[in-house]
Amino acid sequence: MKIYLAPMEGLTDYMYRNAYDEFFGQGKIDKYFMPFISPNKSDKFLAKEMRDIDRVNNQTVKSIPQVMTNNHRDFIWTARLLHEQFGYDEINLNAGCPSGTVVSKNKGAGMLGDTDELERILYEIFSDSYILNNKIKISVKTRIGLESEDEWAEILEVYNKFKMEELIVHPRVRTDFYRNDIKYNAYKMALEESVNPVCYNGDIFTADNYVSFLERFGDTERVMLGRGLITDPGLINVISSDNPANYQRDTSADLENMKKLHDSVYEERLTIMSGDKHAIHRMKEMWCYMEYIFPDNKKEIKAIKKSQKMGDYKDAVNVFFNVASIKEPRVITYSRKF
C-alpha cells in the first residue's frame, strides 16, 4: 500500500512535513502533498510559497506541489517554474477544495460544474509541449461533483481521456464539505472504470476505519490521509503494518514522539513568524485535531488553547505531556466544520 499525507492549508507546511517524517514517517509515507500554490498575476511565487517549495526545506521527504487554478496558462507557467527552478517533476492539480471563496471563482471543486471547460483545461495542460518534453507527471485530486453523486460518471469520463500519474478521489460532493457519508459507490466506480491509478482519500481516522475500508476495497493500492494523521500521528504505524487488524500499538512511544513532533514544529515556526501569537495560533490548529485522542485530558488541552503568551503556552504544553495518555477511539466525529 502506498500512503500519502494530504495537503492541509496552515498545517502541513514543510516544518510539519519534515518533523512528521523524522518522528513518525520514517519511510512509511510515500508522498507528502504540499498545501496549494495559487498562481497570481505577477507570475511569481509568494514568500511563504517559496519557503514551502524550496528544496533546502524538502531534502528528506518526497514533497509534491499542488496547484489551485482553473487557468491552463497559470498551471503551465507554475509547472515550468517548479521544474526549472526547483526540480519538481510531479505536480498535483486541486479539483477538490470545497471552500466557498474558492468555488465561487470556479477553482477547486468549482471546476467540476462544467465538464466541457474541465476537459478543455486538462487538454491544454496534458498536451503542453514543455510538460510533455520534460516528462512532468500530473496528478489530480478531485471530488465527485458539486451537488450530486450523479455527476461523477461524466466527470470520470473526462478524466479518462488523459494519462495521469494518479487520480486522487475524495468521494464527496462539494456541498458535503467534510460532512455527510462517503459515497463509496462513486469510489467503487473509480476503481473499476478509471484508466489511471486511483488513490482513495477520506475519513480514515482510526485503525477500525482503515480495517473496514480494506475489507470493502482490498484492491486499493494507494491511500491519502490528512485529518487522520494530524489527529493521531501514530496511526501511520497501524496503516503501514502487515496486519493492521491485529497491530498492537506502543502508545507510550507514540506520545513521546508526538511531543518531539510538536516541539520541532513549534521551534521552527517561531523562527519565521513574528511574535508569539502567530506561532501559537498555528500550533492551536494542530491541537484542534490532536485533542480527539486525549479524551481524559480536556482540562490540560483547554489550558493550552487559552494561552496567549509563549511562556504560558510552553508551561501548558509541558503539563499536558507529563500527564497525558493516548486513548485511540473506535470512532472520531469531528465537532468542527473542517
Side-chain angles (χ1 to χ4, degrees), residues 219-233:
D219 49 349
T220 294
E221 297 179 346
R222 309 167 190 221
V223 294
M224 172 184 277
L225 286 81
R227 292 174 290 167
L229 292 183
I230 302 295
T231 300
D232 184 2

PDB file of all heavy atoms in Angstrom, residues 219-233:
ATOM      1  N   ASP A 219      -8.575  -4.158  -2.970  1.00  0.00           N
ATOM      2  CA  ASP A 219      -7.734  -3.985  -4.147  1.00  0.00           C
ATOM      3  C   ASP A 219      -7.189  -2.561  -4.276  1.00  0.00           C
ATOM      4  O   ASP A 219      -6.496  -2.236  -5.245  1.00  0.00           O
ATOM      5  CB  ASP A 219      -8.491  -4.364  -5.423  1.00  0.00           C
ATOM      6  CG  ASP A 219      -9.866  -3.712  -5.526  1.00  0.00           C
ATOM      7  OD1 ASP A 219     -10.317  -3.139  -4.524  1.00  0.00           O
ATOM      8  OD2 ASP A 219     -10.481  -3.795  -6.603  1.00  0.00           O
ATOM      9  N   THR A 220      -7.491  -1.703  -3.300  1.00  0.00           N
ATOM     10  CA  THR A 220      -6.927  -0.353  -3.282  1.00  0.00           C
ATOM     11  C   THR A 220      -5.421  -0.439  -3.068  1.00  0.00           C
ATOM     12  O   THR A 220      -4.947  -1.189  -2.213  1.00  0.00           O
ATOM     13  CB  THR A 220      -7.564   0.489  -2.160  1.00  0.00           C
ATOM     14  OG1 THR A 220      -8.941   0.696  -2.460  1.00  0.00           O
ATOM     15  CG2 THR A 220      -6.873   1.835  -2.018  1.00  0.00           C
ATOM     16  N   GLU A 221      -4.679   0.347  -3.822  1.00  0.00           N
ATOM     17  CA  GLU A 221      -3.221   0.311  -3.735  1.00  0.00           C
ATOM     18  C   GLU A 221      -2.619   1.599  -3.202  1.00  0.00           C
ATOM     19  O   GLU A 221      -1.423   1.647  -2.903  1.00  0.00           O
ATOM     20  CB  GLU A 221      -2.622   0.018  -5.118  1.00  0.00           C
ATOM     21  CG  GLU A 221      -3.019  -1.349  -5.668  1.00  0.00           C
ATOM     22  CD  GLU A 221      -2.440  -1.610  -7.045  1.00  0.00           C
ATOM     23  OE1 GLU A 221      -1.960  -0.645  -7.688  1.00  0.00           O
ATOM     24  OE2 GLU A 221      -2.454  -2.781  -7.475  1.00  0.00           O
ATOM     25  N   ARG A 222      -3.462   2.664  -3.067  1.00  0.00           N
ATOM     26  CA  ARG A 222      -2.956   3.958  -2.620  1.00  0.00           C
ATOM     27  C   ARG A 222      -4.006   4.622  -1.737  1.00  0.00           C
ATOM     28  O   ARG A 222      -5.178   4.647  -2.101  1.00  0.00           O
ATOM     29  CB  ARG A 222      -2.647   4.868  -3.819  1.00  0.00           C
ATOM     30  CG  ARG A 222      -1.775   4.211  -4.876  1.00  0.00           C
ATOM     31  CD  ARG A 222      -1.763   5.013  -6.167  1.00  0.00           C
ATOM     32  NE  ARG A 222      -1.117   4.245  -7.227  1.00  0.00           N
ATOM     33  CZ  ARG A 222      -0.279   4.739  -8.127  1.00  0.00           C
ATOM     34  NH1 ARG A 222       0.006   6.027  -8.111  1.00  0.00           N
ATOM     35  NH2 ARG A 222       0.256   3.977  -9.042  1.00  0.00           N
ATOM     36  N   VAL A 223      -3.564   5.148  -0.610  1.00  0.00           N
ATOM     37  CA  VAL A 223      -4.476   5.895   0.252  1.00  0.00           C
ATOM     38  C   VAL A 223      -3.810   7.201   0.672  1.00  0.00           C
ATOM     39  O   VAL A 223      -2.589   7.277   0.842  1.00  0.00           O
ATOM     40  CB  VAL A 223      -4.901   5.105   1.515  1.00  0.00           C
ATOM     41  CG1 VAL A 223      -5.739   3.892   1.147  1.00  0.00           C
ATOM     42  CG2 VAL A 223      -3.682   4.705   2.339  1.00  0.00           C
ATOM     43  N   MET A 224      -4.633   8.233   0.820  1.00  0.00           N
ATOM     44  CA  MET A 224      -4.166   9.534   1.292  1.00  0.00           C
ATOM     45  C   MET A 224      -4.910   9.889   2.572  1.00  0.00           C
ATOM     46  O   MET A 224      -6.136   9.807   2.612  1.00  0.00           O
ATOM     47  CB  MET A 224      -4.408  10.611   0.231  1.00  0.00           C
ATOM     48  CG  MET A 224      -4.119  12.028   0.709  1.00  0.00           C
ATOM     49  SD  MET A 224      -4.511  13.295  -0.535  1.00  0.00           S
ATOM     50  CE  MET A 224      -3.010  13.230  -1.528  1.00  0.00           C
ATOM     51  N   LEU A 225      -4.169  10.258   3.604  1.00  0.00           N
ATOM     52  CA  LEU A 225      -4.763  10.660   4.876  1.00  0.00           C
ATOM     53  C   LEU A 225      -4.337  12.075   5.208  1.00  0.00           C
ATOM     54  O   LEU A 225      -3.185  12.455   4.997  1.00  0.00           O
ATOM     55  CB  LEU A 225      -4.335   9.739   6.014  1.00  0.00           C
ATOM     56  CG  LEU A 225      -4.941   8.341   6.074  1.00  0.00           C
ATOM     57  CD1 LEU A 225      -4.232   7.403   5.115  1.00  0.00           C
ATOM     58  CD2 LEU A 225      -4.850   7.773   7.487  1.00  0.00           C
ATOM     59  N   GLY A 226      -5.260  12.845   5.748  1.00  0.00           N
ATOM     60  CA  GLY A 226      -4.954  14.192   6.216  1.00  0.00           C
ATOM     61  C   GLY A 226      -5.307  14.319   7.679  1.00  0.00           C
ATOM     62  O   GLY A 226      -4.455  14.200   8.564  1.00  0.00           O
ATOM     63  N   ARG A 227      -6.602  14.540   7.945  1.00  0.00           N
ATOM     64  CA  ARG A 227      -7.048  14.729   9.324  1.00  0.00           C
ATOM     65  C   ARG A 227      -6.663  13.562  10.226  1.00  0.00           C
ATOM     66  O   ARG A 227      -6.309  13.758  11.394  1.00  0.00           O
ATOM     67  CB  ARG A 227      -8.565  14.952   9.351  1.00  0.00           C
ATOM     68  CG  ARG A 227      -9.012  16.264   8.737  1.00  0.00           C
ATOM     69  CD  ARG A 227     -10.528  16.363   8.660  1.00  0.00           C
ATOM     70  NE  ARG A 227     -11.094  15.453   7.680  1.00  0.00           N
ATOM     71  CZ  ARG A 227     -12.382  15.159   7.570  1.00  0.00           C
ATOM     72  NH1 ARG A 227     -13.243  15.702   8.419  1.00  0.00           N
ATOM     73  NH2 ARG A 227     -12.817  14.331   6.635  1.00  0.00           N
ATOM     74  N   GLY A 228      -6.712  12.350   9.690  1.00  0.00           N
ATOM     75  CA  GLY A 228      -6.412  11.174  10.494  1.00  0.00           C
ATOM     76  C   GLY A 228      -4.998  11.173  11.050  1.00  0.00           C
ATOM     77  O   GLY A 228      -4.781  10.814  12.215  1.00  0.00           O
ATOM     78  N   LEU A 229      -4.025  11.589  10.233  1.00  0.00           N
ATOM     79  CA  LEU A 229      -2.637  11.584  10.689  1.00  0.00           C
ATOM     80  C   LEU A 229      -2.284  12.822  11.495  1.00  0.00           C
ATOM     81  O   LEU A 229      -1.376  12.788  12.326  1.00  0.00           O
ATOM     82  CB  LEU A 229      -1.690  11.452   9.491  1.00  0.00           C
ATOM     83  CG  LEU A 229      -1.726  10.101   8.769  1.00  0.00           C
ATOM     84  CD1 LEU A 229      -0.696  10.058   7.650  1.00  0.00           C
ATOM     85  CD2 LEU A 229      -1.506   8.931   9.735  1.00  0.00           C
ATOM     86  N   ILE A 230      -2.979  13.936  11.259  1.00  0.00           N
ATOM     87  CA  ILE A 230      -2.761  15.111  12.106  1.00  0.00           C
ATOM     88  C   ILE A 230      -3.310  14.831  13.502  1.00  0.00           C
ATOM     89  O   ILE A 230      -2.696  15.164  14.515  1.00  0.00           O
ATOM     90  CB  ILE A 230      -3.448  16.360  11.521  1.00  0.00           C
ATOM     91  CG1 ILE A 230      -2.947  16.651  10.102  1.00  0.00           C
ATOM     92  CG2 ILE A 230      -3.224  17.569  12.430  1.00  0.00           C
ATOM     93  CD1 ILE A 230      -1.501  17.032  10.020  1.00  0.00           C
ATOM     94  N   THR A 231      -4.482  14.217  13.560  1.00  0.00           N
ATOM     95  CA  THR A 231      -5.103  13.879  14.837  1.00  0.00           C
ATOM     96  C   THR A 231      -4.279  12.866  15.609  1.00  0.00           C
ATOM     97  O   THR A 231      -4.022  13.023  16.803  1.00  0.00           O
ATOM     98  CB  THR A 231      -6.516  13.301  14.603  1.00  0.00           C
ATOM     99  OG1 THR A 231      -7.319  14.276  13.938  1.00  0.00           O
ATOM    100  CG2 THR A 231      -7.178  12.905  15.913  1.00  0.00           C
ATOM    101  N   ASP A 232      -3.860  11.816  14.911  1.00  0.00           N
ATOM    102  CA  ASP A 232      -3.177  10.694  15.550  1.00  0.00           C
ATOM    103  C   ASP A 232      -1.967  10.310  14.697  1.00  0.00           C
ATOM    104  O   ASP A 232      -2.048   9.406  13.862  1.00  0.00           O
ATOM    105  CB  ASP A 232      -4.134   9.509  15.685  1.00  0.00           C
ATOM    106  CG  ASP A 232      -3.526   8.336  16.423  1.00  0.00           C
ATOM    107  OD1 ASP A 232      -2.374   8.448  16.874  1.00  0.00           O
ATOM    108  OD2 ASP A 232      -4.203   7.289  16.547  1.00  0.00           O
ATOM    109  N   PRO A 233      -0.849  11.003  14.869  1.00  0.00           N
ATOM    110  CA  PRO A 233       0.326  10.729  14.032  1.00  0.00           C
ATOM    111  C   PRO A 233       0.761   9.267  14.060  1.00  0.00           C
ATOM    112  O   PRO A 233       1.254   8.741  13.056  1.00  0.00           O
ATOM    113  CB  PRO A 233       1.403  11.645  14.627  1.00  0.00           C
ATOM    114  CG  PRO A 233       0.638  12.753  15.263  1.00  0.00           C
ATOM    115  CD  PRO A 233      -0.606  12.115  15.806  1.00  0.00           C
TER     116      PRO A 233
END
